[in-house]
């Protein structure tokens, strides 16, 4: 592999609220691990423009979430004071918007209309009586631009990695297609097909045991929740409805309390023991006892996260974003110029 190979990571989230345990297992743990690779330059994008595709009526919430999402990221140990780690504010990378616009020129509109993710989310918007904007319809293209704005040239040894939750995979496939299509149309090897990196942990159920943990569904435990809030939420968790008396045989597979214990406890033996007792008829083990174990486990895990968050609150969050955005812009400016050259866009002689 050539010494000069360029390796980059780009990933992101929309600033639309506080991050929760589902984000931690789905994406943040991957990001934290990625940070150890000091040879890979890393861009963590606060996707504030993408947030407008769904939150145009909540601009203040988006604005405040730009700051809190950075605090959430720092609370799990991402640290933009590392020279290879950049936090980027999407709207402020001006070249990104132009890259996005050029990519739109090669994207058939009916492909967007047929995109399964767009179809589902569009139906949801319509159901809520919200308008389906042009900006919403092109957001997969825009997300491709997020990734490709830091693309190394498509040469052996270079890499463009995107660590994400599994729900983002279709969008990454679009970004791969967009890169290949551009290269092919203009006879260049400018943009790379990015490589997804997906967490092996399945998506986390909500505390209500119903579907996935969500920001807005009232079934989330947030990274910023205090010990007593965690206690209340766990005590209110759904368990096995057929486990009525302490000695009843209970289900541990689909029981969210046990799903969380398996996801978050470091003591596998202890969890296995609890599972055995809970499953066995005649062995008294109540939900409250199991929940108390879970409360302690989550609060232990969140302890250092709370400490780092408290420290981060005194850090210059705006400056971190400014510096990271500047670095992303440097690269995006170059990519944009090369794209324009490839497309023969520009002044005549
Ligand atoms: N769509 C992602 C989400 O909703 C956020 C996002 C925006 C993103 N741009 C990205 C993720 C680029 C990975 C790469 O969470």
């Amino acid at each position: 592999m050539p010494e000069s190979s360029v390796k980059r990571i780009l990933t992101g989230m929309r600033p639309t609220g506080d991050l929760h345990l589902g984000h931690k297992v789905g994406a943040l743990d991957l990001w934290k691990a990625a940070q150890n690779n000091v040879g890979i330059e890393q861009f963590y994008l606060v996707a504030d423009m993408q947030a407008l595709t769904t939150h145009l009526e909540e601009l203040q919430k988006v604005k405040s979430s730009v700051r809190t999402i950075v605090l959430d990221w720092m609370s799990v140990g991402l640290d933009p004071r590392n020279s290879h780690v950049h936090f980027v504010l999407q709207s402020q990378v001006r070249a990104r918007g132009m890259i996005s616009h050029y990519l739109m020129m090669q994207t058939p509109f009916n492909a967007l209309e047929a995109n399964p993710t767009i179809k589902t989310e569009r139906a949801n918007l319509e159901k809520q009586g919200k308008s389906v904007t042009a900006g919403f319809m092109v957001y997969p293209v825009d997300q491709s631009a997020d990734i490709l704005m830091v693309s190394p040239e498509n040469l052996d040894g270079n890499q463009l990695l995107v660590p994400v939750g599994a729900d983002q995979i279709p969008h990454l496939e679009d970004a791969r297609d967009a890169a290949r299509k551009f290269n092919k149309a203009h006879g260049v090897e400018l943009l790379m097909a990015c490589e997804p990196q997906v967490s092996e942990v399945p998506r986390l159920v909500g505390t209500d045991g119903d579907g996935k943990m969500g920001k807005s569904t009232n079934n989330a435990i947030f990274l910023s929740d205090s010990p007593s809030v965690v206690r209340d939420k766990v005590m209110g968790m759904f368990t096995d409805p057929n486990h009525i008396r302490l000695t009843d045989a209970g289900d541990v597979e689909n029981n969210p309390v046990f799903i969380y214990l398996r996801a978050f406890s470091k003591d596998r033996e202890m969890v296995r023991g609890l599972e055995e007792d809970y499953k066995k008829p005649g062995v008294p083990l109540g939900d409250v006892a199991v929940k108390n174990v879970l409360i302690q486990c989550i609060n232990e895990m969140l302890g250092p996260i709370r400490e780092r968050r408290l420290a981060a609150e005194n850090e210059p969050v705006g400056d971190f974003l400014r510096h990271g955005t500047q670095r992303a812009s440097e690269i995006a400016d170059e990519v944009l110029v090369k794209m324009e050259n490839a497309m023969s866009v520009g002044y005549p002689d």
Side-chain angles (χ1 to χ4, degrees), residues 21 38 60 66 135 146 169 186 196 205 256 312 328:
L21 295 182
V38 293
Q60 287 315 312
V66 170
D146 292 340
I169 292 300
H186 306 293
V205 288

Side-chain angles (χ1 to χ4, degrees), residues 13 19-20 22-33 72-73 76 78 223:
M13 286 184 187
L19 303 187
H20 50 61
H23 293 110
K24 183 173 183 299
V25 297
L28 296 173
D29 286 345
L30 274 181
W31 298 11
K32 175 77 196 309
D72 279 332
W73 289 354
V76 296
L78 283 176
L223 298 177

Side-chain angles (χ1 to χ4, degrees), residues 10-14 45 47 50 90 139 143 146-147 162 164 167-168 171-172:
L10 184 133
T11 186
M13 286 184 187
R14 293 178 303 136
L45 189 75
Q50 193 177 98
Q90 186 192 30
Y139 98 78
Q143 183 158 336
D146 292 340
I147 298 167
V162 189
V164 282
D167 60 314
Q168 295 298 307
H171 294 317
L172 302 198

Side-chain angles (χ1 to χ4, degrees), residues 240 242-243 247-252 255 275 277-281:
D240 175 2
N242 297 319
H243 185 259
T247 50
D248 284 346
D251 168 52
V252 298
N255 183 329
E275 287 181 334
D277 288 351
Y278 196 84
K279 283 193 293 197
K280 235 186 251 154

Side-chain angles (χ1 to χ4, degrees), residues 220-241:
I221 295 175
F222 296 104
L223 298 177
S224 51
D225 278 345
S226 69
S228 63
V229 169
V230 168
R231 161 165 289 279
D232 291 347
K233 285 183 178 175
V234 172
M235 279 302 170
M237 271 177 82
F238 178 92
T239 61
D240 175 2

Side-chain angles (χ1 to χ4, degrees), residues 155-176:
L155 304 172
D156 278 353
N158 289 352
Q159 272 187 316
L160 181 55
L161 305 170
V162 189
V164 282
D167 60 314
Q168 295 298 307
I169 292 300
H171 294 317
L172 302 198
E173 207 43 62
D174 289 346
R176 292 164 60 79

